Amino acid sequence: MPSDTENSLLDYHPQQYGDDPTSIRDTNKYTDEYVRGFVEKWDELIDWDQRMESEGNFFIEELRKRGVRKVLDVATGTGFHSVRLIEAGFEVVSADGSPYMLAKAFENGRRRGHVLRTIQADWRWLNRDVTGRFDAVICLGNSFTHLFSDRDRRKALAEFYSALKHDGVLVIDQRNYDSILDHGFDSKHQYYYCGDQVSARPEHMDDGLARFCYQFPDGSTYHLNMFPLRKQYTIDLMRQVGFQRVDTYGDFQETYHEADPDFFVHVAEKCYHSLLPKDQRAPADAGHVDYDDEDVTDAGGEGDRR
């Protein structure tokens, strides 16, 4: 006989935000937001084939050129990046806080001939549940914006840092909330949300909340409450935790105008480049961020404009 918990996981529950949805600004809420019905439609939003085409081999190439072999995917979702990296030859461990997401990811992996190594874990206590050290930690799909407090974000980044080997790399992406907050929302979903029949738009925006509404062709509607991270703030946090170099890309491009990209991708290296022999250091360029630098610049050479 299934337990009450197992029966609950099999049930379809509506999202619940109470009488004032914009007042829900809590990191712990995210597991309740990803109800079974929403997760089962998530791949309609992403569209794996279209996203693979638009994303190309960006993440694969960034990891390969750093000699990465073992990857921890801490925001597995329905498994898109875990499966892509497995098929590219990486060893992958797939973690997520949502049991529904992990179940869907495992199902998607099996459908493509892979058995995902899945672990349910909260980032704030990641190393309690995930053992070993990794060449890379990836946190993709705008997932880092589920953390609502500065303390939670610092704790999660410290856990990511600890999960990495001495020369490891962290890859985090985020929406271009700077542009939305400063100029309004104007997204064509060219890269991340490729389902052309699905609408993903902000329903409420302020400095402490980005509430997005997702509408699907069958008329169903779901929401996510997220924190609108400023790009510079995210970069500064990674530096403060200890990452020595941060490259930031706009929609997978090195050169971009600040208001243009839908998403930013941060590639943060743990390695102390100044301690390496010169012939082993990454090439110096206008786009890197060193720990001792007073100013932070983008991979495209442009400073942050909030």
Side-chain angles (χ1 to χ4, degrees), residues 7-278:
N7 282 328
S8 178
L9 288 173
L10 293 174
D11 291 340
Y12 288 89
H13 301 287
Q15 291 180 317
Q16 296 181 353
Y17 289 95
D19 296 333
D20 184 8
T22 62
S23 68
I24 307 298
R25 306 179 183 209
D26 182 6
T27 297
N28 297 318
K29 180 65 176 177
Y30 78 96
T31 54
D32 295 331
E33 292 180 302
Y34 288 107
V35 295
R36 183 179 179 186
F38 191 19
V39 170
E40 289 181 353
K41 293 181 178 298
W42 193 255
D43 288 335
E44 294 182 37
L45 177 67
I46 294 176
D47 190 329
W48 283 38
D49 291 337
Q50 288 296 320
R51 182 163 179 176
M52 191 179 305
E53 182 178 343
S54 63
E55 183 178 292
N57 291 323
F58 176 84
F59 294 112
I60 293 171
E61 291 172 357
E62 288 297 314
L63 296 178
R64 278 181 175 165
K65 72 184 184 183
R66 290 170 173 82
V68 169
R69 298 180 63 184
K70 189 175 181 180
V71 180
L72 173 60
D73 182 356
V74 297
T76 297
T78 57
F80 175 77
H81 286 105
S82 285
V83 170
R84 282 217 72 192
L85 293 178
I86 289 171
E87 292 178 344
F90 295 93
E91 179 184 348
V92 181
V93 174
S94 305
D96 202 284
S98 166
Y100 291 120
M101 282 293 195
L102 286 176
K104 187 64 175 178
F106 191 84
E107 176 187 326
N108 284 338
R110 287 295 298 271
R111 188 176 293 120
R112 290 164 175 77
H114 310 292
V115 178
L116 269 60
R117 298 167 58 190
T118 58
I119 301 173
Q120 186 176 355
D122 187 307
W123 298 337
R124 294 165 292 182
W125 299 277
L126 183 69
N127 290 277
R128 176 190 64 187
D129 299 313
V130 180
T131 59
R133 293 293 176 266
F134 298 83
D135 302 310
V137 170
I138 62 172
C139 181
L140 304 178
N142 197 43
S143 301
F144 197 65
T145 61
H146 284 303
L147 302 173
F148 270 89
S149 74
D150 181 81
R151 179 178 180 178
D152 285 341
R153 289 187 284 271
R154 291 178 186 276
K155 182 64 165 68
L157 285 174
E159 291 287 319
F160 297 165
Y161 189 94
S162 180
L164 288 167
K165 296 178 181 178
H166 74 281
D167 58 349
V169 60
L170 169 67
V171 184
I172 289 182
D173 68 10
Q174 64 171 100
R175 273 190 180 275
N176 184 355
Y177 288 113
D178 292 74
S179 179
I180 299 174
L181 288 168
D182 297 339
H183 309 293
F185 181 76
D186 182 19
S187 171
K188 298 180 177 62
H189 307 157
Q190 293 176 312
Y191 296 96
Y192 278 72
Y193 299 136
C194 300
D196 57 6
Q197 300 300 314
V198 182
S199 169
R201 300 189 64 83
E203 193 172 82
H204 175 90
M205 287 290 302
D206 61 46
D207 287 337
L209 177 68
R211 178 171 170 80
F212 269 73
C213 178
Y214 302 84
Q215 295 179 321
F216 294 87
D218 64 359
S220 59
T221 300
Y222 297 91
H223 293 84
L224 288 177
N225 281 13
M226 297 168 285
F227 185 86
L229 289 168
R230 292 277 187 176
K231 175 171 69 76
Q232 189 62 52
Y233 168 81
T234 307
I235 293 172
D236 289 344
L237 277 186
M238 289 187 286
R239 296 177 70 216
Q240 291 164 16
V241 167
F243 289 98
Q244 298 300 301
R245 171 184 170 123
V246 182
D247 290 328
T248 296
Y249 302 84
D251 289 339
F252 318 117
Q253 305 296 319
E254 288 192 22
T255 303
Y256 60 90
H257 296 289
E258 200 70 20
D260 289 346
D262 278 352
F263 276 74
F264 293 118
V265 180
H266 308 291
V267 181
E269 297 182 3
K270 184 175 180 179
C271 182
Y272 284 70
H273 289 271
S274 61
L275 301 181
L276 290 174
K278 287 186 177 180

